[in-house]
Amino acid sequence: LNRVYRLGIGDKLKLTVFGEENLSGQCEVNAMGQVSVPLIGEVPAKGRAVSEFRNDVTRRLSEGYLKNPKVNVDILNYRPIYVHGEVKNGGEFAYRNGLTLRDAVAMAGGFTYRADQSYLYIGREGDADAAIKMPSDIAVLPGDNIRIPERFF
């Protein structure tokens, strides 16, 4: 299971180019998976680590626009997580730092009486669904899709 956070559509970012107020500001990963940056245009972001995105912006700005640009990228707002299957109140939930799989199940109202509590499935950007043995303290990442299976009586 990929443990590096990858940017996704709907993530809101704060881009800071030190000494360049007009190039700094808030932006969002758009429906095409890109971020529109002044001077350099659309920069691919979806599926990339924050450091990869920052390095790309830095490189593009240094190609004829700024001498030795210093760029910082902060995530302001993460995309939601989804919990469904054998939970009491499945749906979309706001992501919080430090969230574990156990927390995500609790946010969805806990297991139903039909739930198989020994494992769950997690779908993560760029990975095939993975079966995870429970209980687990694996960290949830924004955009994760968590499914609780039904047990067979």
Side-chain angles (χ1 to χ4, degrees), residues 5-70:
Y5 180 65
R6 304 245 168 231
L7 292 168
I9 294 166
D11 281 342
K12 290 180 180 50
L13 309 175
K14 180 181 175 204
L15 188 67
T16 307
V17 182
F18 294 99
E20 300 290 334
E21 291 304 311
N22 54 340
L23 297 181
S24 300
Q26 294 183 16
C27 47
E28 185 172 336
V29 181
N30 66 24
M32 304 300 290
Q34 301 179 322
V35 173
S36 185
V37 180
L39 285 182
I40 58 175
E42 303 288 313
V43 180
K46 183 178 183 237
R48 304 181 77 199
V50 174
S51 59
E52 293 172 323
F53 174 74
R54 183 192 63 232
N55 292 344
D56 207 18
V57 170
T58 303
R59 182 182 48 75
R60 287 196 189 185
L61 283 171
S62 68
E63 289 172 353
Y65 296 105
L66 298 174
K67 197 179 202 118
N68 201 14
K70 299 270 184 285

Side-chain angles (χ1 to χ4, degrees), residues 101-102 105 111 117-120 132-136:
L101 290 173
R102 235 187 281 205
V105 170
F111 294 109
Q117 298 182 28
S118 65
Y119 72 104
L120 54 71
I132 306 291
K133 278 180 126 18
M134 289 299 281
S136 171

